[in-house]
């Protein structure tokens, strides 16, 4: 795919959704971090349903630490891998309080040192909370990048690095939001909705649906 085509793709995605953001609900950088940790192998909707029940009253590192693993576990039972996630969240709260004054660090290395935080989670927090031009490659972005030809790659990290290289700078900050939403609602896994797609004529996927 040539650069002119990529530029037009992102121009159209921006025109359709000028200010994209995560669908996770949060009221602070800390709550965003926790929501993203909980969203691993789970839907944003299931995470939002759970966090609405405890964020208002316990949505701080101190508040969740006071709940403890069992207390938090009761709130997030409906989310996959909830026991592991409860343990990671509580340990993350403890580290944030002990090492970072209760604040979420604006630093990749410090973020990835937190339990339950990998590269993708760190990228989401750095981008959404701190405005860094990072790209958090999930299953949707991996599929869209490969299927459309925007940035094909065999691994998540390969796709991430290629996107950072080929996405025009003016679109870099919001690129992963546009690609996630496109993959979630239009370029879906089993039967992509090509007839409804705003970039269908630019996409290089050969098996387009009609």
């Amino acid at each position: 795919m040539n650069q002119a085509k990529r530029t037009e793709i992102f121009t159209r995605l921006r025109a359709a959704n000028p200010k994209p953001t995560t669908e996770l609900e949060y009221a602070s950088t800390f709550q965003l971090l926790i929501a993203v940790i909980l969203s691993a192998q789970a839907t944003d909707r299931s995470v939002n349903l759970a966090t609405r029940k405890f964020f208002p009253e316990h949505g701080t590192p101190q508040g969740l630490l006071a709940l403890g693993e069992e207390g938090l576990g009761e709130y997030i039972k409906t989310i996959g891998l909830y026991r592991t996630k409860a343990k990671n969240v509580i340990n993350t709260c403890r580290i944030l309080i002990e090492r970072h004054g209760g604040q979420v660090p604006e630093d990749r290395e410090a973020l990835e040192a937190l339990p339950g935080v990998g590269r993708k989670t760190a990228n989401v927090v750095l981008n959404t909370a701190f405005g860094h031009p990072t790209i958090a490659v999930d299953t949707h972005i991996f599929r869209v990048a490969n299927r459309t030809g925007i940035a094909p790659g065999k691994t998540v990290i390969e796709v991430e690095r290629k996107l950072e290289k080929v996405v025009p700078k003016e679109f870099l900050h919001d690129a992963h939001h546009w690609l996630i939403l496109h993959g979630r609602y239009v370029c879906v896994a089993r039967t992509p909705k090509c007839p409804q797609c705003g970039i269908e004529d630019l996409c290089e996927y050969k098996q387009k649906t009609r």
Side-chain angles (χ1 to χ4, degrees), residues 2 5 26 30 66 70 77 121 131 159 177 208 210:
N2 62 46
K5 197 180 277 190
Y26 65 97
F30 169 74
E70 286 191 23
K77 272 184 180 178
T121 298
V159 168
H177 291 303
K208 288 177 184 170
R210 297 297 174 202

Side-chain angles (χ1 to χ4, degrees), residues 25-100:
E25 297 172 1
Y26 65 97
S28 66
T29 300
F30 169 74
Q31 290 183 9
L32 173 66
L33 171 65
I34 299 307
V36 180
I37 291 173
L38 295 178
S39 72
Q41 298 177 48
T43 64
D44 287 1
R45 182 177 178 276
S46 68
V47 173
N48 289 338
L49 287 171
T51 56
R52 284 172 198 162
K53 296 174 183 175
F54 67 88
F55 271 174
E57 199 172 334
H58 308 285
T60 63
Q62 295 82 359
L64 287 184
L65 197 58
L67 267 183
E69 279 183 47
E70 286 191 23
L72 177 58
E74 288 299 311
Y75 284 110
I76 63 171
K77 272 184 180 178
T78 52
I79 301 174
L81 307 172
Y82 80 92
R83 284 194 177 89
T84 300
K85 289 177 180 178
K87 182 178 181 180
N88 285 338
V89 166
I90 296 305
N91 285 333
T92 284
C93 290
R94 188 173 289 113
I95 292 170
L96 289 177
I97 292 168
E98 291 175 357
R99 299 182 194 171
H100 303 287

Side-chain angles (χ1 to χ4, degrees), residues 152-172:
K154 293 181 180 179
T155 65
V156 165
I157 192 71
E158 189 181 342
V159 168
E160 179 189 328
R161 293 212 168 115
K162 194 169 281 189
L163 282 168
E164 287 177 345
K165 185 179 178 182
V166 302
V167 174
K169 281 189 177 179
E170 66 177 299
F171 302 112
L172 203 50

